[in-house]
């Protein structure tokens, strides 16, 4: 007997009705054509705190009795879960306290405080913060823990996203969700049981495949390190989600950093939506494992949109470079008046748009009467770049593409 039942997910949907945004599920014609699958996107980044985490947090809060509400709730999180708990606890008149590691970026602390929570900074890691929270606030003060994924009510709340998707589009036969601690895939897998033929697919960061590691009994699979998908950078899957994974056996896939970056950029350019790294993992799986989805009706949950604007800008610019839409050329010219304008004119006539120019007379390897221009320019694609280089060489300039 699983700790979370289909009936508990249905009960969570009724509990959340009118208190959570029933986010849109929309077919993407362009992504469908790109992936050879019939792609539907579930926009959980449209929730008030821009994350699906509100569902599980609110379901847990609504299940509290009077004494628990009066004692208040506590959570350990430096991300979307913290904001979901803070927002809905404040809305319901419940005191909330969020414990975060001492090095948490101030913007995350401030955003959580703005939503009405008291924030306590403790320790150097989430593990240290969690230990302090358990001892001080749950043990001594009797506050109720709202765990981000290892709680039946939280898992049931997350599963409501699958009910919405399958009711909105009954023809879906694959549901694709990112996997971190496992609360979302656990709830979605339970909810999908009532729809025969629907396959649930979990997507993990290649650096943090914690569910695959747990199922195989090989913790060394989790290499860790920096990842753009912070929301699923978890070393150990939750105990209750693992129980569900073992019983219901969803498909598990991994995606690398380049794939996640590409998915973020495509969602911004094609769908005009901002999605964080973890939220883009589902689309990254379709792009990286196309044969598993070809010809299928695939629903992808875009789980969140909380990405740092500087990181987003970097990802978008890096994708332009990957697509050869932003390139750098090193061009040797004679160090005489007029040669810079001749180079610029040649590039312009070839359809390139110059973004930035660097002029170096002292670089080794070129003649003393020459200079090196490093020109950053915009182009249409790789073929267009090759044509610009050919046109420069035809005009008598030596051009080298810088990678």
């Amino acid at each position: 007997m699983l700790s979370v039942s289909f009936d508990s997910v249905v009960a969570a949907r009724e509990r959340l009705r009118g208190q959570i945004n029933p986010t849109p599920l929309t077919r993407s014609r362009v992504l469908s054509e790109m992936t050879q699958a019939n792609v539907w996107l579930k926009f959980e980044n449209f929730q008030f705190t821009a994350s699906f985490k509100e569902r599980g947090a609110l379901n847990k809060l609504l299940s509290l009795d009077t004494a628990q509400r009066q004692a208040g709730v506590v959570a350990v999180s430096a991300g979307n879960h913290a904001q979901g708990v803070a927002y809905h606890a404040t809305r319901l008149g419940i005191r909330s306290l969020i414990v975060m590691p001492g090095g948490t970026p101030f913007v995350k602390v401030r955003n959580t405080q703005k939503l009405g929570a008291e924030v306590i900074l403790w320790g150097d890691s989430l593990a240290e913060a969690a230990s302090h929270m358990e001892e001080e606030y749950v043990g001594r003060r009797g506050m109720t823990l709202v765990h981000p994924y290892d709680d039946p009510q939280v898992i049931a709340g997350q599963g409501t996203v699958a009910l919405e998707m399958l009711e909105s589009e009954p023809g879906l036969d694959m549901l694709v969700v990112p996997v971190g601690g496992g609360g979302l895939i656990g709830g979605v897998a339970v909810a999908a049981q009532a729809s025969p033929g629907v396959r649930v697919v979990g997507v993990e960061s290649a650096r943090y495949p914690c569910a695959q590691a747990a199922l195989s009994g090989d913790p060394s699979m989790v290499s860790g390190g920096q990842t753009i998908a912070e929301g699923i950078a978890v070393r150990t899957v939750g105990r209750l989600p693992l129980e569900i994974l073992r019983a219901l056996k969803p498909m598990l896939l991994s995606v690398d950093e380049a794939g996640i970056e590409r998915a973020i950029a495509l969602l911004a350019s094609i769908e005009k939506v901002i999605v964080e790294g973890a939220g883009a993992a589902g689309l990254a799986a379709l792009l990286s494992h196309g044969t598993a989805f070809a010809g299928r009706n695939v629903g992808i949950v875009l789980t969140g949109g909380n990405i740092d604007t500087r990181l987003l800008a970097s990802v978008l610019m890096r994708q332009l470079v990957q697509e050869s839409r932003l390139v750098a050329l090193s061009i040797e010219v004679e160090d005489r008046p007029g040669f810079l304008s001749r180079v610029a004119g040649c590039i312009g006539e070839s359809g390139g748009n110059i973004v930035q120019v660097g002029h170096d007379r002292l670089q080794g390897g070129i003649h003393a009467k020459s200079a090196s221009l490093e020109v950053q320019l915009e182009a249409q694609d790789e073929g267009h770049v090759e044509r610009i280089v050919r046109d420069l060489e035809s005009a008598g300039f030596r051009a080298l593409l810088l990678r």
Side-chain angles (χ1 to χ4, degrees), residues 15 29 39 75 131 135 241-242 254 371 376:
R15 200 176 284 126
R29 185 176 67 182
V39 179
S131 178
E135 180 181 348
L242 182 58
S254 298
Q376 188 178 74

Side-chain angles (χ1 to χ4, degrees), residues 24 34 106 166 179 182 208 275 287-288 300 320 335 360 376 400:
M34 285 182 61
F106 179 69
L166 293 169
V179 180
Y208 291 89
V275 179
L287 298 170
S288 303
I300 303 174
L320 290 177
D335 192 13
D360 186 1
Q376 188 178 74
L400 176 65

Side-chain angles (χ1 to χ4, degrees), residues 107-285:
V107 65
K108 294 186 177 182
V109 175
R110 183 178 59 193
N111 289 344
T112 305
Q113 290 172 329
K114 282 183 177 179
L115 292 170
E118 178 185 353
V119 175
I120 302 295
L121 299 177
W122 188 274
D124 296 324
S125 65
L126 281 172
E128 290 182 10
S131 178
H132 176 68
M133 177 271 297
E134 288 278 3
E135 180 181 348
E136 178 63 26
Y137 299 103
V138 176
R140 295 179 182 174
R141 304 193 189 187
M143 301 179 79
T144 297
L145 169 63
V146 182
H147 198 281
Y149 48 82
D150 220 354
D151 182 288
Q153 297 290 354
V154 170
I155 295 171
Q158 317 301 30
T160 61
V161 71
L163 295 185
E164 285 183 16
M165 295 173 74
L166 293 169
E167 288 174 359
S168 178
E169 188 54 45
L172 292 175
D173 49 33
M174 298 185 89
L175 301 180
V176 185
V177 300
V179 180
L184 178 60
I185 192 172
V188 167
V190 169
Q193 289 182 100
S195 301
V198 173
R199 186 74 189 273
V200 175
V201 181
V203 184
E204 298 183 288
S205 161
R207 297 180 179 180
Y208 291 89
C210 60
Q212 295 174 69
L215 291 170
S216 65
D218 183 9
S220 68
M221 290 176 65
V222 181
S223 62
Q226 291 288 337
T227 175
I228 195 171
E230 302 100 332
I232 54 174
V234 178
R235 287 189 172 275
T236 307
V237 72
R239 180 180 60 83
L240 299 181
L242 182 58
E243 167 194 298
I244 295 170
L245 293 175
R246 283 180 171 145
L248 302 183
K249 298 178 172 56
M251 180 190 299
L252 294 174
L253 300 173
S254 298
V255 291
D256 61 20
E257 295 298 299
I260 297 171
E261 285 193 35
R262 184 185 178 207
I264 293 171
L266 284 175
L267 288 165
S269 62
I270 293 172
E271 299 300 326
K272 316 305 179 191
V273 295
I274 304 304
V275 179
E276 63 194 68
L283 177 58

Side-chain angles (χ1 to χ4, degrees), residues 329-332 358-374 398 400 402:
L329 299 178
S330 176
I331 306 167
E332 186 176 337
H359 192 221
D360 186 1
R361 294 180 175 87
L362 305 177
Q363 178 178 312
I366 61 173
H367 194 276
K369 291 184 178 181
S370 298
S372 175
L373 299 178
E374 184 169 318
R398 190 174 72 176
L400 176 65
L402 303 177

Side-chain angles (χ1 to χ4, degrees), residues 287-302:
L287 298 170
S288 303
H289 304 276
T291 56
F293 304 97
R296 309 295 293 273
N297 296 318
V298 183
I300 303 174
V301 184
L302 305 181

